Amino acid sequence: MKSRLLVSLMVIAMAAALIGGATMAWFTDEATSPEQTFTAGTLLIDLEQEDFASNTVNLDILNPGDEFKFEYEVINDGTKRFIYKVVFCWQDILGRTLSDFGDRSTFGTEPLSDVLIFTIKDGSGAILTSGTLENETSPLAFEVGQLNPENSDNYTIEVKFPTTAGNEYQGSKMKAAFVVMAKQIHPEAEYGQFVCPLATNNDSDG
C-alpha cells in the first residue's frame, strides 16, 4: 500500500515538473524605425570685396576732389538662416609737418576721418550712413537684417575727398575695415566679441 502511494506521489511530482518547465507560446511582433541622423546646423558667413579699380584715383596719393567706392557681397555659406550686422571701423594716422622745408607747422595735423565723406548703401540703394566721421566713435555698427542659406546681400561704400580740404590734411592717412558679424536667430543668441582688424597704434609718419 505504501509503495503504491509512493509511486503515485512520484508520478504526480514528475507531471507537475513537466508542466512547470514547459514553454508557453504567445503571438509577438516588432517593428524598427528608419535610421535617424542628427546633424548640427552650420552658421557660416563670407564677405567678398570687389577689387578696387580706378584709372584716375590712386589711394596712396589722394587729392581733394577725388571720389571712389568699394563694393561688398555678404554671403550665407551655411545651412542656417542668420541675423547679421555690418561694422565699420577705422584708424587715423596724422601726416608729417614737413618742417624741414620752411614753416609747415600746420601741415598734416588733422585726421582724414574729419574730412572724408563716407556713404554706406545697401543693395537697394538705401543709405545706412552718410557724412564725415568727425563726431563718430570707431566702430560704427548697423544691424541690417536676416539672410537665408545660399543667399547674399550687397553693400557699397562711397568715399569723397572734398575740395575744401586744406594743408592740414596733407600726408595724413586713414585705415578702414568693413566687417560683417552674424548670429543665430534666437532671443538668447549674442554676437561674438568684435575686434577691429586694424593696427592699434597711432604713430605718425614722422
Side-chain angles (χ1 to χ4, degrees):
M1 190 70 174
K2 290 183 179 180
S3 60
R4 289 181 180 178
L5 179 60
L6 181 60
V7 170
S8 297
L9 291 175
M10 291 179 64
V11 170
I12 293 172
M14 291 177 66
L18 289 174
I19 294 173
T23 300
M24 305 297 291
W26 299 95
F27 291 151
T28 62
D29 194 13
E30 67 179 44
T32 303
S33 71
E35 179 181 301
Q36 301 294 330
T37 301
F38 303 91
T39 304
T42 57
L43 195 156
L44 301 173
I45 192 168
D46 191 19
L47 178 63
E48 295 185 358
Q49 177 180 323
E50 180 180 289
D51 291 337
F52 173 80
S54 175
N55 295 324
T56 59
V57 176
N58 185 335
L59 297 181
D60 291 328
I61 48 171
L62 290 178
N63 296 304
D66 284 346
E67 297 183 26
F68 50 96
K69 67 180 181 180
F70 299 91
E71 295 181 354
Y72 298 90
E73 183 179 16
V74 179
I75 306 169
N76 185 341
D77 276 338
T79 60
K80 296 181 64 66
R81 183 165 58 103
F82 58 62
I83 188 168
Y84 72 101
K85 63 181 178 180
V86 297
V87 186
F88 184 66
C89 64
W90 65 92
Q91 176 199 6
D92 281 299
I93 302 173
L94 299 182
R96 295 179 293 186
T97 61
L98 305 180
S99 57
D100 292 341
F101 299 91
D103 185 10
R104 306 290 199 279
S105 60
T106 60
F107 285 27
T109 57
E110 298 297 323
L112 282 181
S113 63
D114 285 0
V115 69
L116 292 179
I117 299 173
F118 287 86
T119 301
I120 302 178
K121 299 179 180 179
D122 64 19
S124 69
I127 297 175
L128 299 179
T129 186
S130 183
T132 68
L133 302 170
E134 184 174 5
N135 298 314
E136 303 289 353
T137 302
S138 177
L140 286 179
F142 311 91
E143 192 161 278
V144 290
Q146 302 177 8
L147 194 58
N148 291 321
E150 301 182 2
N151 285 11
S152 64
D153 287 335
N154 296 301
Y155 294 89
T156 301
I157 298 180
E158 299 175 351
V159 187
K160 181 177 181 179
F161 195 0
T163 57
T164 55
N167 289 329
E168 63 270 26
Y169 300 103
Q170 280 203 46
S172 291
K173 295 182 178 181
M174 178 181 170
K175 297 180 179 180
F178 187 74
V179 181
V180 181
M181 303 181 69
K183 68 176 181 177
Q184 288 183 251
I185 301 177
H186 188 280
E188 297 182 4
E190 297 181 355
Y191 288 108
Q193 182 177 2
F194 174 76
V195 177
C196 185
L198 305 176
T200 57
N201 65 75
N202 291 309
D203 295 337
S204 68
D205 284 348

